[in-house]
Amino acid sequence: MPGGDYNAVKGGGLKLKAGKKNLFKVGKDKKKRNKDEGEKVDPDTVENGGWRKIADEYDMKGGINVAIEVASGEKGFTRTYIAAMDNGKFTIGFPHPEGEGPNPEEIFALVKTPDDSKISLKTGFGRYVGVDSEFQLVAFSEAIGVREQFLLVFQDGKTAFQAVASPLFLSTVASKEGNVHVASRTATENEMVNIRTDAVKEGPVDWRSAEDRKNARDCETAYVKMYQHSKVDLKNRHIAIDVKDRKGVKKAQAEGSAHELLLDRRMKMKSDRYC
């Protein structure tokens, strides 16, 4: 090629044709798009000032703030909450405008242990919510007793608030004195409530043991080691395991019956004189 032709060639970095995307940014754009699609906002939560509705018992975590909303309206929410008063009794608060959450007197601290379905509530005045002898909702106690324990009944997307001391449901219709009481034996429309919280919803918790969360082969090996008579670490030697039917073990792990299945498989194998 003549020297003049070399000079006619333009120098510089590699440039892609117009309309072509940078190959190094495709993955980043896709990742950002997936992230935006995953962060969907619940309109109901926005309308209630960031307080989302708790739909099942598994979402009830001790230590979070909750509010009890009257849910007897046509839409299933009213933005009206049960409020504590300084005299130890409760009343129905005023409706909140859209986008506003509950007031401080309408917020309670939830007390609950993971292994118990019963809950207790503590007001901002430092007293626990309970039921008195006249079935009124009151907050006088500084400790939790039977009168300060409640159950939440979730069914068909609706929630009812039931006292443990007397199997009566909380009514969202105030008495003549304007107080909230627990007096209904059945949960009708006037007993429907929404339990709301400002706590971030956590993902599902895997309650399985460490052995059950392993893959099928390691799971069975762990159970064989666990129930063999010898406590000496055999380093995977002389461990009789069934190498067949791993699909059955995986299915049992998902259903939570791996323990029973592996023990049954152990019994069907050749007997071990040390077991």
Side-chain angles (χ1 to χ4, degrees):
M1 183 181 290
D5 295 335
Y6 281 107
N7 296 332
V9 177
K10 295 182 179 180
L14 177 64
K15 296 182 180 180
L16 300 176
K17 294 182 179 180
K20 297 292 183 178
K21 294 184 179 180
N22 191 333
L23 298 178
F24 297 100
K25 293 184 178 180
V26 174
K28 294 182 179 180
D29 295 340
K30 184 177 180 181
K31 183 177 181 180
K32 182 178 180 181
R33 182 170 65 253
N34 293 339
K35 182 178 180 181
D36 295 339
E37 291 176 355
E39 295 178 355
K40 295 182 180 179
V41 180
D42 182 16
D44 177 70
T45 303
V46 175
E47 292 179 8
N48 289 272
W51 287 72
R52 63 180 178 86
K53 178 181 175 182
I54 294 179
D56 53 60
E57 181 183 345
Y58 300 102
D59 201 9
M60 300 291 293
K61 308 292 184 181
I64 64 175
N65 293 329
V66 296
I68 305 175
E69 180 190 20
V70 177
S72 57
E74 296 180 358
K75 297 181 179 181
F77 65 90
T78 59
R79 291 195 294 274
T80 302
Y81 302 91
I82 293 177
M85 298 185 291
D86 55 4
N87 62 357
K89 297 184 179 182
F90 293 83
T91 186
I92 305 296
F94 294 99
H96 289 261
E98 183 176 340
E100 182 179 283
N103 295 329
E105 62 272 14
E106 299 168 339
I107 300 175
F108 309 97
L110 177 66
V111 181
K112 183 181 183 299
T113 57
D115 57 345
D116 194 352
S117 59
K118 296 186 288 295
I119 68 168
S120 297
L121 300 176
K122 192 174 185 180
T123 68
F125 298 102
R127 298 292 186 272
Y128 290 98
V129 181
V131 180
D132 65 6
S133 58
E134 298 178 354
F135 304 108
Q136 292 188 107
L137 200 66
V138 295
F140 297 131
S141 178
E142 296 182 357
I144 298 176
V146 179
R147 291 180 178 270
E148 287 74 35
Q149 294 179 331
F150 300 90
L151 289 172
L152 292 176
V153 181
F154 297 95
Q155 185 175 352
D156 300 330
K158 298 181 179 181
T159 308
F161 195 84
Q162 185 180 29
V164 172
S166 57
L168 302 176
F169 291 94
L170 174 71
S171 177
T172 58
V173 179
S175 62
K176 295 180 180 180
E177 295 78 13
N179 300 326
V180 177
H181 56 285
V182 180
S184 178
R185 294 188 177 276
T186 57
T188 62
E189 183 179 356
N190 291 331
E191 284 71 43
M192 295 296 103
V193 298
N194 290 328
I195 307 299
R196 295 191 176 273
T197 180
D198 60 347
V200 178
K201 188 173 183 179
E202 299 178 358
V205 179
D206 192 349
W207 297 104
R208 296 178 301 168
S209 64
E211 291 78 13
D212 291 346
R213 290 196 293 269
K214 295 180 180 180
N215 59 54
R217 181 179 181 83
D218 293 340
C219 177
E220 184 167 9
T221 303
Y223 272 101
V224 172
K225 282 185 175 182
M226 186 186 306
Y227 291 102
Q228 68 182 3
H229 177 73
S230 177
K231 301 301 180 181
V232 179
D233 186 7
L234 300 179
K235 297 181 179 180
N236 293 331
R237 293 175 299 174
H238 309 297
I239 298 178
I241 58 175
D242 188 359
V243 296
K244 300 178 182 179
D245 191 18
R246 295 299 177 195
K247 294 182 179 180
V249 179
K250 292 180 180 179
K251 182 179 179 181
Q253 286 178 299
E255 296 176 351
S257 59
H259 190 183
E260 292 81 358
L261 174 69
L262 293 175
L263 288 180
D264 184 60
R265 285 159 63 96
R266 173 74 171 163
M267 293 175 60
K268 290 180 180 179
M269 289 190 302
K270 185 178 179 179
S271 62
D272 186 352
R273 64 174 182 170
Y274 294 106
C275 293

